[in-house]
């Protein structure tokens, strides 16, 4: 067994030999791994003598085993088994098909909290409605707090009295836990959809960001809210930094800075990325075909995680989605090579500054749901559960100094320790990690419990693995719960396909990314929302050209995404999981307006219900409603959570949908409605 600090330059020849053997094994399929050169990143890591960082291109699993991974993240399609010759593919990872009676929630990340005294690590488990307290000196499970079914505990914050407060994503409350005693003290109702939470010591207050748009402030000692402000849908993380309060939006990747009254005084957005990339035409099973250089642009989307990082302001871990035309032919969504996919992963430092620097895409980090930083902001850990079983490693370490060099903010002449900094492994605008880890399960969160000790949480099985970053120490894994929450549909939805993206990359948290794509031969199409049930609303896609779920899987997952061909039971498991993800809903503030709006919606004179009716709020028809295209009538479940609206995203708000781009009276007879009536109609739509 290889120790996770014994892989260094002296073993490079062995690993290259193993990689060549893999190429021979896969030769019949035409697979030719790109081993890379020293300049391309394969040999860019530090040796043990340089600080113990193993070769780039080697992934360390929970048992300390090393696996060969080509630098482009492509061929082979999975980690190399130590016995050699066995490739772990997504199909093999799924095993026997399982459909959970209660489908687990989509992955959201951000479920670890290090206590202020650094003696306890708290871990939320949204799959099992539990919160674990792990004793760090002994690295053992000290206590487990049972919550209510469906609470879905998420982000956590500790107040000045050593009480942890947990946002209950499905429980409309926060759970308050005594850290020392490991006991649930109380539940505090806060809003419909709690997401982010932060403690502000200066005012001894908690701030809770809610997906329906509320930012709720309440005393840490609990009691009635002292302030509630409306900031608009899709709030995510809340951060206290430099005496200011910041809030992110999930899908738009906006960072809002608030003034003392809670109003938005400034909005920050990471920059777009434009670069020359190698476009790989559809080829063999490894995605290797004819290569051409094209100029592509990506715009920021889906801010999975944001937090304050010492010395670097607020760091935002987000995606970037392509705005350049996207092919719908097989392999059209790109390959797993760094930067060649339609959805990139990026880590923007100092996101709370105007004209934030453009940082490179992070190599092979599919579905970046969580971010952790050490106490001095030198090491940054990114968690990418989409890489589970893909051979690219689920947890990657990046050095802030190298990121700054890549962004043009530093010459890299010296690092924080005074030594000569290595040149960043840039590959077409991409950054390779300094080290990669693969825990024994699907990773969902990470936390530095010491600067040399990284904890990684997995959801299935429920474990916590400690990776000691010093030389010669094996990982330690702690079992958190024996309860299985396996679900093949959940696994497939979050798994990386050959194009280097997962279903969840565009359909974040089983919803959507709010992005408008430019599809070749089709035009502008907004990512469709999945929550609220999809079965029974066929045909799929805006054009209504996918007759059933099987057709959709073959055309998109297998074709455009270069995924494996699922068996019928695997396909059924995926459709079952997606179909049972509930729509997001918020309690209306003006019930009278909602009642008036419902009357308008259901009236024959207005005609909304002539198409949007039944359990799915659609008649499944494909019609031209004045927008110039015959389009599928979408379900309206959770419609207020999926701006921008209409097939091409032309309506920024629900009210705009009734404006110039909405199709006029061919799309409901609304031209004669007053401004007040349109407001009532919007109030009703926001409850669906």
């Amino acid at each position: 067994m290889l120790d996770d600090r014994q892989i260094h330059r002296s073993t490079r020849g062995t690993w290259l030999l193993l990689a060549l053997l893999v190429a021979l094994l896969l030769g019949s399929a035409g697979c030719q791994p790109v081993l890379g050169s020293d300049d391309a990143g394969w040999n860019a890591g530090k040796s043990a003598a340089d600080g113990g960082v193993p070769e780039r291109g080697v992934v360390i699993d929970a048992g300390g085993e090393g696996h060969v991974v080509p630098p482009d993240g492509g061929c082979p399609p999975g980690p190399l088994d130590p016995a050699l010759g066995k490739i772990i593919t997504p199909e093999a990872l799924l095993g026997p098909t399982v459909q959970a009676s209660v489908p687990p929630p989509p992955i959201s990340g951000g479920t670890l909290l290090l206590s202020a005294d650094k003696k306890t690590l708290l871990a939320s488990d949204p799959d099992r409605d539990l919160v674990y307290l792990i004793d760090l000196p002994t690295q053992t499970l000290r206590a487990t707090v049972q919550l209510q079914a469906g609470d879905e505990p998420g982000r956590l914050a500790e107040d000045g009295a050593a009480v942890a407060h947990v946002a209950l994503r499905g429980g409309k409350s926060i759970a308050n836990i005594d850290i020392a005693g490991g006991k649930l003290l109380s539940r505090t109702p806060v809003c419909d959809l709690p997401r982010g939470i932060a403690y502000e010591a200066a005012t001894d207050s908690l701030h809770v960001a809610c997906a329906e748009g509320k930012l709720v402030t309440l005393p840490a000692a609990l009691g009635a809210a002292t302030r509630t402000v409306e900031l608009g849908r899709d709030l995510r993380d809340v951060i206290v930094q430099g005496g200011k309060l910041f809030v992110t939006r999930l899908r738009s990747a906006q960072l809002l800075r608030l003034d003392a009254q809670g109003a938005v005084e400034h909005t920050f957005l990471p920059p777009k990325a434009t670069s020359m990339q190698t476009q790989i035409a559809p080829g063999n099973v490894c995605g290797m075909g004819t290569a051409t250089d094209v100029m592509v642009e990506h715009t920021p989307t889906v801010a999975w995680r944001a937090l304050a990082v010492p010395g670097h302001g607020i760091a935002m871990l987000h995606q970037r989605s392509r705005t350049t035309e996207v092919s719908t032919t097989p392999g059209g969504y790109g390959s797993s090579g760094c930067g060649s996919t339609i959805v990139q992963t990026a880590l923007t430092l100092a996101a709370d500054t105007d004209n934030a620097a453009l940082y490179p895409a992070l190599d092979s980090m599919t579905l970046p749901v969580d971010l952790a930083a050490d106490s001095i902001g030198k090491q940054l850990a990114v968690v990418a559960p989409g890489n589970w079983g893909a051979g690219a490693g689920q947890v990657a370490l990046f050095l802030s100094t190298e990121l700054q060099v890549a962004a043009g903010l530093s010459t890299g002449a010296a690092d924080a320790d005074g030594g000569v900094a290595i040149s960043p492994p840039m590959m077409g605008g991409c950054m390779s990690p300094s080290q990669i880890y693969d825990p024994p399960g699907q990773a969902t969160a990470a936390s530095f419990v010491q600067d040399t000790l990284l904890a990684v949480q997995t959801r299935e099985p429920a474990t916590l693995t400690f990776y000691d970053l010093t030389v010669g120490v094996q990982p330690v894994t702690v079992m958190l719960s024996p309860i299985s929450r396996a679900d093949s549909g959940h696994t497939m939805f979050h798994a990386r396909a050959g194009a280097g993206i997962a279903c969840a990359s565009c359909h974040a948290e089983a919803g959507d990314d709010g992005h408008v794509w430019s599809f070749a031969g089709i035009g502008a199409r907004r990512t469709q929302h999945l929550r609220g049930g999809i079965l029974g609303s066929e045909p799929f896609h805006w054009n209504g050209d996918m007759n059933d779920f099987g057709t959709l899987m073959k055309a998109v997952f297998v074709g455009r995404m270069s995924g494996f061909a699922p068996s019928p039971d695997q396909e059924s498991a995926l459709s079952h999981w997606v179909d049972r993800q509930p729509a997001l809903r918020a309690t209306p503030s003006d019930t009278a307006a909602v009642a008036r709006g419902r009357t308008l919606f259901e009236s024959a004179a207005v005609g909304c219900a002539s198409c949007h009716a039944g359990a799915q709020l659609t008649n499944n028809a494909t019609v031209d409603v004045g927008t110039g295209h015959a389009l599928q009538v979408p379900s309206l479940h959770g419609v207020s959570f999926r701006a921008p609206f209409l097939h091409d995203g032309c309506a920024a708000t629900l009210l705009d949908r009734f404006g110039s781009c909405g199709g006029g009276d061919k799309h409901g007879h609304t031209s004669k409605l007053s401004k007040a009536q349109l407001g009532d109609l919007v109030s009703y739509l926001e409850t669906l």
Side-chain angles (χ1 to χ4, degrees), residues 434-450:
S434 63
Q435 190 160 327
I436 311 175
Y437 295 103
D438 220 7
Q442 190 173 40
T444 54
S447 175
F448 280 92
V449 296
Q450 299 173 16

Side-chain angles (χ1 to χ4, degrees), residues 192-507:
D192 289 317
L193 301 164
R195 292 297 184 261
I197 187 168
Y199 172 66
E200 185 175 10
T203 58
D204 195 28
S205 299
L206 295 170
H207 302 284
V208 182
C210 308
E212 71 265 32
K214 294 179 180 178
L215 179 67
V216 181
T217 301
L218 63 162
L222 307 179
T226 57
R227 185 181 72 184
T228 298
V229 295
E230 294 282 350
L231 300 177
R233 296 280 198 258
D234 212 30
L235 301 186
R236 181 71 165 186
D237 281 305
V238 54
I239 305 146
V240 178
Q241 168 78 352
K244 289 284 189 177
L245 201 58
F246 295 82
V247 182
T248 63
R249 295 196 199 278
L250 173 62
R251 297 173 308 137
S252 65
Q254 291 179 335
L255 176 64
L256 313 178
R257 188 179 70 209
L258 309 184
D259 63 19
Q261 288 71 45
V264 177
E265 66 177 13
H266 198 76
T267 300
F268 302 94
L269 187 68
K272 295 180 179 180
T274 302
S275 61
M276 185 69 73
Q277 294 182 356
T278 300
Q279 186 79 22
I280 306 296
N284 57 37
V285 295
C286 297
M288 303 304 294
T290 304
T292 56
D293 289 335
V294 296
M295 186 67 72
V296 297
E297 181 184 76
H298 289 75
T299 192
T301 56
V302 191
W304 286 99
R305 190 75 164 109
L307 72 165
V309 173
H312 301 289
I314 294 176
M316 177 185 289
L317 182 65
H318 60 94
Q319 296 178 175
R320 289 196 292 242
S321 297
R322 184 171 295 186
T323 56
T324 312
E325 187 175 81
V326 174
S327 171
T328 59
T329 59
Y333 285 4
S335 68
S336 57
C338 186
S340 63
T341 183
I342 61 172
V343 179
Q344 298 178 344
T345 289
L347 174 54
T348 298
L349 302 180
D352 53 327
T353 57
D354 286 316
N355 302 313
L358 175 62
Y359 284 84
L362 304 185
D363 188 9
S364 302
M365 289 281 99
T366 302
L367 205 61
V369 301
D370 202 22
L371 174 67
D374 66 17
S375 67
I376 59 174
K378 180 180 180 181
Q379 301 177 98
L380 300 163
V382 174
V383 180
N387 286 355
W388 189 26
Q394 298 181 79
V395 183
L397 294 186
F398 294 89
L399 302 180
S400 58
T401 51
E402 292 188 5
L403 286 166
Q404 289 180 310
V405 170
L409 299 177
S410 170
T411 62
D415 61 20
D417 296 325
V420 176
I422 66 171
S423 298
M426 297 292 293
M427 296 179 290
C430 287
M431 169 71 77
S432 290
S434 63
Q435 190 160 327
I436 311 175
Y437 295 103
D438 220 7
Q442 190 173 40
T444 54
S447 175
F448 280 92
V449 296
Q450 299 173 16
D451 287 348
T452 58
L453 188 63
L454 180 69
V456 178
Q457 182 182 3
T458 65
R459 60 161 297 275
E460 181 60 33
T463 69
L464 191 73
T465 297
F466 292 95
Y467 290 98
D468 195 313
L469 307 185
T470 55
V471 176
V473 180
Q474 291 292 321
V476 174
T477 297
V478 179
M479 180 62 70
L480 300 177
S481 172
I483 300 171
S484 174
R485 292 291 279 132
D487 186 282
S488 300
H490 182 284
T491 300
M492 289 180 66
F493 188 81
H494 295 89
R496 167 180 170 166
I501 60 174
C503 300
S505 297
C506 298
H507 300 282

Side-chain angles (χ1 to χ4, degrees), residues 51 70-71 78 153 223 313 340 381 384 540-541 578:
S340 63
F540 300 121
H541 276 191
V578 172

